Amino acid sequence: MAEDVDALPKGAGMWGQVVAGLLVVPALGFGLWAMGEAVGDTGGGPPRPAACGDGETGGTPGKTRETRGRLSGDELCKALNRPDLARLLGTPEEMATSADGSDGSLKLAGAARDIATPTSEVRFATYTVTLSALYDGAPVAGYTPFTGHSAEERKVLGRPAVLYSDQTISIRFRLDGSDAETGPGVPARSVIVARDARDSGGSYEVTLWRGDGAVPDDAVLLRVAEAVLPTLPGWTPGSAVRP
């Protein structure tokens, strides 16, 4: 017996592609995060949507001077896992089966410090959605060469953005304990949005993929991004959120 899971490959997302282009090794990829509460785990009660896990960072309280102003994976998860997310995806009858966030970083060769890359993921039967932040100080306009021929520059919420295609990998976990198998996964669509209208550095990224392998609709992706991003802690229209 085996269990199949689609996930973005290690180092994927815009920062993974940028790092690969710079010939350095990423310290964080999307991979598979610890699952949140599963639907139906209610002690015999009615099914309920998955909730974001407590996470290791504990949210905003207790942040250090270095991380103050940066969002944690748990904060991203709570913004993404909103009650109307299924409706925004066009599948209002579905409930989230897992929801969680993770904190990580990229280590650039020769850099004095790591780049924070918190991530979150919410899974439904039809869609999986990820929301990530990148605190690299680089403008979104500079990402276009790393997104391939599918890249499309546009404005989202009045900020520079790039829409592009990606692909997951399929990971098959053997329930007998043998090594996991990997292979090509399903198409994904992503949008990277600058953290401020001036594109002065750093970005957020929303990614969608479907369990049935169909290409996600860009209208759905943008609807989710435009609803979720303004709810992030510290988001102020027309101004930067600085660490």
Side-chain angles (χ1 to χ4, degrees):
M1 295 180 65
E3 179 181 1
D4 292 315
V5 177
D6 283 307
L8 286 177
K10 185 175 183 180
M14 179 44 47
W15 47 88
Q17 296 191 39
V18 172
V19 170
L22 294 175
L23 301 179
V24 294
V25 180
L28 170 78
F30 278 111
L32 293 177
W33 297 292
M35 294 297 184
E37 299 179 40
V39 170
D41 185 18
T42 59
R48 56 188 172 87
C52 295
D54 291 335
E56 296 181 1
T57 62
T60 303
K63 288 187 177 182
T64 67
R65 181 177 180 181
E66 291 184 352
T67 61
R68 194 172 298 122
R70 300 177 185 173
L71 301 180
S72 68
D74 187 53
E75 289 171 313
L76 292 175
C77 182
K78 289 175 180 176
L80 179 62
N81 192 29
R82 47 193 286 154
D84 65 347
L85 182 57
R87 180 182 62 79
L88 292 171
L89 293 168
T91 57
E93 73 285 355
E94 295 185 0
M95 290 193 298
T97 58
S98 69
D100 217 327
S102 176
D103 295 316
S105 62
L106 294 175
K107 179 64 175 180
L108 299 181
R113 61 180 182 176
D114 294 352
I115 297 173
T117 57
T119 61
S120 64
E121 177 187 275
V122 178
R123 286 182 179 263
F124 294 86
T126 300
Y127 284 100
T128 297
V129 192
T130 67
L131 170 63
S132 312
L134 178 62
Y135 296 95
D136 63 344
V140 166
Y143 291 159
T144 307
F146 299 100
T147 56
H149 66 276
S150 69
E152 177 187 347
E153 294 186 1
R154 60 168 63 198
K155 289 278 189 176
V156 173
L157 297 168
R159 305 177 183 209
V162 177
L163 193 66
Y164 74 101
S165 296
D166 208 335
Q167 185 178 32
T168 69
I169 57 172
S170 177
I171 306 175
R172 170 167 291 191
F173 294 98
R174 302 293 304 181
L175 301 184
D176 59 8
S178 57
D179 292 342
E181 301 174 357
T182 62
V186 299
R189 290 290 285 168
S190 300
V191 62
I192 313 154
V193 181
R195 293 175 63 220
D196 63 80
R198 293 170 294 150
D199 197 12
S200 58
S203 58
Y204 302 109
E205 182 169 2
V206 179
T207 299
L208 290 184
W209 67 88
R210 294 177 57 105
D212 61 8
V215 178
D217 190 330
D218 286 349
V220 176
L221 172 63
L222 293 173
R223 185 164 65 234
V224 171
E226 289 172 350
V228 171
L229 293 179
T231 69
L232 293 174
W235 177 283
T236 303
S239 64
V241 182
R242 298 184 181 277

